[in-house]
Amino acid sequence: MRTMPPSHPFDDDKLKEECGVFGAVGVTDAASFIALGLHALQHRGQEAGGIVTYDPEAGFHSARRFGYVRDNFTSQKVMETLPGSIGIGHVRYSTAGSKGTTAIRDVQPFFGEFAMGGAAIAHNGNITNAEALRRELIERGSIFQSSSDSECIIHLMARSLQRNIPERMKDALRRVEGAFSVVAMTRTKLIGVRDPRGVRPLVLGKVGDKGYVLSSETCALDIIGAEFVREIEPGEMVVISDTGKVTSSKPFEQQASRFCIFEHVYFSRPDSILEGRSVYETRHQIGVELAKEAPVEADLVCPVPDSGTPAAIGYAHESGIPYGMGIIRNQYMGRTFIEPSEQIRNMGVRLKLNVNRALIRDKRIILVDDSVVRGTTSRKIKDMLLDAGAAEVHFRIASPPTMWPCFYGVDTPDRDKLLAAKMSVEEMRDYLGVDSLQFISLDGLYRAAGVAAGRDPKAPRYCDACFSGEYPVVPSDMIAKGFEMKTAAE
């Protein structure tokens, strides 16, 4: 086992995406394309990464490493071990399996050898019935190599009676509950699948005449100069051959789409396109809606960098209050900078963020952040502003209160660790010690995401369970452990 500390104590108070996936077929030196794609997706997982490729002369090749893509997959020595024109890759932040104590065997992609040849898979999301499936498979003789929920897919494929790998994958994924965007590969085919509700993203891009890529986000297409073709639809499987042929099928029972709204708020990069909308523009519009819903007299609008920046710009634009970089982020605070002692840990935020004293002194500050999870970082940032001479501090949050854990691929604390699950907004304001605190409403968030009428409580457009407690897929494993879902009275 190897323990990977968070990149900084500041990051402990943010929600974490589980991972990013990327695949390429029909290109010379697929591993280089994949490494560049994973680098663009690094924000989705910094704990570890892996690449699997296939070369007809030498077979399947795999490299899995802890840490950043730039530190592992830019080495010529490593990349020479990954020949071939087809491959898949994965960057990981653990939500299932051994959180924080990841073994190398937990790092994806996972590989399996079947009667019709080998296959590898990489998975973004969370399987909510993984523990029940795992018990069943072990009782039937399966031997697991990792603690990851994603390995269940390989074992289910091994037990399928179908004659080719795409059909075996369909069989396996029909048994799976929860959220999944999967990229997989055989010797000649690249496969992409989204769950029937399309909770997690997956897009298709084209490179040259017959090269294709699959990616969690469009920003990874830009880095390799790929043309965006389209999003993989909820419940769709695409199979792309090494000759450039693309086939599509819908192997699952149709469900209402419930894309994760927090992808718009925080997870995706602002230069990505989601559902035909610019993530940056959506976040800017969140700030506009927030200014309409929660105005306050102040002298300066400041973001908590970097995730609060587009919303702060939108708030300033709508309110007419000047925008300023009242907090500066240290871009070079690395994961291995220091092994934090208790004293250094308490300095946490100051190592990553510093107040622009000359700008904020004697001013009433509106501080815009994407979310409040535990509230520990928010308190420290408020203290920094007051210590630097701010006259008032008003928090405006670009998402509704995070009151419920996510079971679909996000590392959310237990519910009793979520500040908004224990306190009212006024109690949170007192706890944080700020002059005012307001969150965007769920309706306002939907309007910012392009749903003009707001949230339809009978048929929500998005998965917003972390805010509403309404889970589109019952988290079977958690229910078995005693997790109490929201009742009608709540």
Side-chain angles (χ1 to χ4, degrees):
M1 292 285 187
R2 174 179 174 180
T3 300
M4 293 295 291
S7 58
H8 195 272
F10 168 77
D11 293 327
D12 283 347
D13 201 23
K14 292 289 183 184
L15 299 182
K16 306 292 196 309
E17 243 289 13
E18 181 188 12
C19 55
V21 295
F22 195 89
V25 63
V27 296
T28 303
D29 191 15
S32 294
F33 280 84
I34 295 162
L36 286 167
L38 294 180
H39 178 72
L41 299 173
Q42 188 77 83
H43 60 287
R44 300 184 74 89
Q46 296 91 49
E47 189 175 62
I51 295 175
V52 173
T53 62
Y54 177 77
D55 175 67
E57 294 182 2
F60 285 92
H61 300 267
S62 174
R64 295 182 285 176
R65 301 286 190 276
F66 289 111
Y68 294 126
V69 174
R70 70 180 184 217
D71 296 331
N72 292 304
F73 295 103
T74 52
S75 160
Q76 184 177 350
K77 185 177 178 181
V78 172
M79 299 309 286
E80 285 175 349
T81 69
L82 297 167
S85 61
I86 182 171
I88 61 172
H90 184 273
V91 285
R92 168 189 171 91
Y93 184 94
S94 59
T95 62
S98 48
K99 289 186 187 179
T101 55
T102 300
I104 198 68
R105 64 176 179 269
D106 293 323
V107 179
Q108 298 184 44
F110 292 131
F111 177 80
E113 195 72 61
F114 305 105
M116 67 288 297
I121 68 164
H123 166 222
N124 172 213
N126 235 33
I127 298 171
T128 58
N129 64 334
E131 291 187 22
L133 288 173
R134 191 182 184 95
R135 283 194 303 270
E136 174 193 324
L137 287 162
I138 289 172
E139 287 171 2
R140 294 171 61 187
S142 293
I143 300 172
F144 280 75
Q145 301 297 315
S146 78
S147 64
S148 172
D149 60 338
S150 309
E151 193 183 350
C152 288
I153 300 170
I154 285 282
H155 288 284
L156 289 168
M157 289 171 64
R159 292 188 171 275
S160 169
L161 299 178
Q162 297 295 330
R163 295 187 177 183
N164 63 58
I165 286 171
E167 291 302 319
R168 286 190 174 211
M169 183 169 288
K170 290 177 184 178
D171 262 5
L173 293 176
R174 288 186 185 113
R175 295 284 318 278
V176 164
E177 298 173 7
F180 55 85
S181 283
V182 172
V183 295
M185 62 175 286
T186 68
R187 291 170 293 185
T188 60
K189 293 181 175 64
L190 178 67
I191 304 166
V193 196
R194 285 181 80 189
D195 71 79
R197 291 175 177 83
V199 177
R200 304 255 72 88
L202 190 64
V203 300
L204 176 67
K206 195 170 191 304
V207 182
D209 293 333
K210 62 176 185 178
Y212 284 91
V213 293
L214 292 165
S215 173
S216 290
E217 293 183 42
T218 61
C219 63
L221 306 184
D222 299 335
I223 199 172
I224 61 168
E227 172 194 352
F228 171 71
V229 177
R230 63 179 179 86
E231 294 187 356
I232 305 304
E233 296 178 13
E236 181 185 14
M237 172 185 277
V238 293
V239 180
I240 310 162
S241 73
D242 55 5
T243 61
K245 181 181 179 183
V246 181
T247 58
S248 169
S249 62
K250 291 285 188 73
F252 312 111
E253 182 180 339
Q254 188 172 357
Q255 304 278 352
S257 174
R258 295 291 295 274
F259 185 65
C260 171
I261 199 165
F262 219 85
E263 291 279 357
H264 285 290
V265 174
Y266 177 68
F267 294 140
S268 293
R269 256 177 47 169
D271 51 336
S272 284
I273 305 295
L274 295 176
E275 304 179 299
R277 291 180 59 84
S278 158
V279 174
Y280 178 89
E281 289 299 327
T282 296
R283 290 176 189 170
H284 182 279
Q285 194 60 33
I286 288 173
V288 170
E289 292 288 339
L290 193 52
K292 293 176 181 177
E293 293 184 353
V296 63
E297 288 190 10
D299 304 306
L300 198 67
V301 179
C302 299
V304 176
D306 291 315
S307 53
T309 301
I313 294 171
Y315 193 105
H317 183 266
E318 178 65 23
S319 67
I321 299 170
Y323 168 88
M325 293 298 291
I327 298 173
I328 307 301
R329 182 172 181 263
N330 177 7
Q331 302 288 345
Y332 302 101
M333 179 61 206
R335 180 180 294 275
T336 58
F337 172 69
I338 197 166
E339 185 66 32
S341 65
E342 188 62 33
Q343 182 180 5
I344 294 296
R345 191 176 295 113
N346 289 337
M347 291 170 60
V349 176
R350 294 178 187 271
L351 286 172
K352 192 161 190 176
L353 302 175
N354 192 41
V355 175
N356 188 350
R357 291 172 176 266
L359 185 64
I360 65 96
R361 186 179 293 119
D362 299 326
K363 290 189 175 69
R364 299 168 295 176
I365 305 297
I366 299 172
L367 198 61
V368 181
D369 203 356
D370 58 86
S371 60
V372 173
V373 183
R374 294 180 177 91
T376 51
T377 297
S378 299
R379 291 181 74 179
K380 291 173 182 175
I381 293 173
K382 175 267 304 182
D383 288 341
M384 288 168 59
L385 290 172
L386 292 179
D387 289 346
E392 297 175 6
V393 179
H394 302 271
F395 262 109
R396 294 296 179 266
I397 309 301
S399 61
T402 304
M403 300 178 66
W404 296 84
C406 173
F407 303 115
Y408 309 133
V410 180
D411 182 31
T412 316
D414 294 335
R415 193 168 186 230
D416 61 4
K417 300 287 198 325
L418 295 170
L419 199 65
K422 301 182 291 184
M423 299 181 183
S424 67
V425 173
E426 278 303 303
E427 289 170 334
M428 292 172 71
R429 182 191 66 80
D430 291 342
Y431 172 78
L432 297 176
V434 293
D435 292 277
S436 70
L437 169 69
Q438 291 201 50
F439 297 78
I440 193 171
S441 68
L442 201 46
D443 278 335
L445 181 56
Y446 269 66
R447 286 193 294 271
V451 184
R455 184 181 191 267
D456 180 353
K458 295 180 180 178
R461 167 69 181 81
Y462 292 101
C463 176
D464 52 32
C466 54
F467 308 131
S468 67
E470 298 175 18
Y471 292 93
V473 184
V474 174
S476 305
D477 288 341
M478 297 307 299
I479 297 294
K481 292 178 180 178
F483 174 76
E484 295 183 7
M485 293 182 65
K486 182 177 178 180
T487 63
E490 292 180 273

